[in-house]
Amino acid sequence: MGEPANSSAIAAAFADGPAYVPYLVVGDPDYESSKAYVEALDRGGADVIELGLPFSEPIAEGSTIQEALVRSLDAGMTPERFFAFAEDLDVDAALVCMTYYNLIYQYGEGEGPRPFVERAAAAGIQGLVVPDLPAEEADPLREACDEFGLDLVFIVAPTTRADRLDRLMERVSGYVYVQARLGTTGARDDVSDQTTASLDRLREYDVPKAVGFGISSSEHAERIVAGGADGIIVGSALVDIVAEGVAEDLPTAAVADRLEALSRELTEGAERGRRSRAEATESV
């Protein structure tokens, strides 16, 4: 179950796995710095980059990302500037927009999600993640994504089960965002035991599984991929680096170097996990 990928770039990102999927808030702390930071993630090995479009009430986010969203909004980020940002980027990674449904719906002045999806496609966005959109209410957005060739990525929580899981997985495409633990986003020092249980529940569904919420080190990446994930999603650990740059008044280039270095560590950890899983499979 699960829709096939609409975006060939997203499909390719997971074809040779494991995929590294970093997240940053667009416009944090300003347009030009943010552009340099996203391009640093690409140099560090990103396969897909989740670009956060700020919304004033981000229910899924912890304090780290909430503060980044505020910095971006204070710097003047809007949906139109977001699309211009995506068009300005010089990256090889596939681009996915992560935002909330109110922004998507209001963009078309009452016309539903189609105008937003059409504009996103024109800007080079190849997928959407919408944390507050229930699968049961997603058909209009699903139809618009199919029309313009975008993937619609859903988040599966540790508590998502039975019929609701089936309904969600019938509408997902590209990849599924596997929430590693309950709660909001934020870097952690450990890997939740809920991760393995969530991956086990999803094995029957034929769509790549990327795990997020709390990944902050190469060791985390290694364990999660070794445990069966097709990719890792990293947000707060990267946003923390941006926030430190703001707090310490660091040059943009220095912050970009830190983001690239952590990205390389994470991709190396994920690759170790892939090798470990392959070796375990061969020994069975």
Side-chain angles (χ1 to χ4, degrees):
M1 298 176 69
E3 295 288 331
N6 284 330
S7 164
S8 59
I10 289 177
F14 286 89
D16 296 324
Y20 169 48
V21 186
Y23 164 96
L24 281 179
V25 176
V26 168
D28 175 29
D30 59 71
Y31 189 101
E32 290 301 329
S33 295
S34 183
K35 181 173 179 287
Y37 299 160
V38 172
E39 290 174 353
L41 300 179
D42 190 66
R43 292 194 301 274
D47 299 290
V48 177
I49 300 175
E50 291 185 355
L51 302 174
L53 171 56
F55 180 58
S56 57
E57 299 176 30
I59 57 174
E61 314 301 354
S63 59
T64 294
I65 293 178
Q66 285 185 17
E67 290 165 6
L69 295 169
V70 169
R71 288 193 298 268
S72 174
L73 290 169
D74 286 348
M77 184 51 58
T78 65
E80 281 306 327
R81 282 180 61 79
F82 175 90
F83 291 133
F85 181 96
E87 290 167 336
D88 283 348
L89 286 173
D90 182 13
V91 297
D92 293 325
L95 300 177
V96 169
C97 170
M98 184 171 184
T99 194
Y100 289 78
Y101 194 59
N102 190 46
L103 279 181
I104 294 173
Y105 193 84
Q106 287 191 347
Y107 185 84
E109 298 181 352
E111 299 177 36
R114 187 179 182 278
F116 183 97
V117 177
E118 182 177 16
R119 179 69 182 93
I125 301 295
Q126 291 158 319
L128 299 175
V129 185
V130 189
D132 63 336
L133 180 63
E136 296 83 353
E137 300 174 18
D139 287 347
L141 183 58
R142 171 77 272 168
E143 291 167 7
C145 285
D146 288 345
E147 179 181 354
F148 292 103
L150 273 68
D151 283 317
L152 182 56
V153 177
F154 283 96
I155 299 175
V156 172
T159 52
T160 307
R161 299 176 183 277
D163 291 345
R164 187 161 194 282
L165 179 61
D166 284 337
R167 287 194 295 273
L168 187 153
M169 296 303 291
E170 285 171 357
R171 292 166 174 82
V172 73
S173 70
Y175 61 97
V176 60
Y177 186 141
V178 183
Q179 183 178 331
R181 63 184 72 234
L182 293 173
T184 56
T185 57
R188 304 294 202 281
D189 294 327
D190 64 329
V191 174
S192 171
D193 291 338
Q194 295 170 331
T195 304
T196 301
S198 293
L199 288 170
D200 286 343
R201 283 188 291 112
L202 293 169
R203 288 193 195 284
E204 67 183 271
Y205 300 102
D206 187 21
V207 62
K209 292 89 179 172
V211 173
F213 276 56
I215 299 172
S216 62
S217 69
S218 62
E219 290 77 15
H220 291 172
E222 180 177 358
R223 288 178 58 188
I224 286 170
V225 173
D230 301 304
I232 56 166
I233 301 172
V234 183
S236 293
L238 299 165
V239 176
D240 279 339
I241 292 174
V242 176
E244 289 164 6
V246 173
E248 300 171 17
D249 196 25
L250 296 175
T252 297
V255 178
D257 286 346
R258 290 184 181 184
L259 291 167
E260 183 177 349
L262 179 56
S263 293
R264 292 190 185 282
E265 291 174 15
L266 291 162
T267 55
E268 289 167 2
E271 179 58 24
R272 291 197 303 271
R274 184 197 65 78
R275 291 197 299 268
S276 176
R277 190 167 74 194
E279 290 167 2
T281 301
E282 290 172 0
S283 65
V284 172

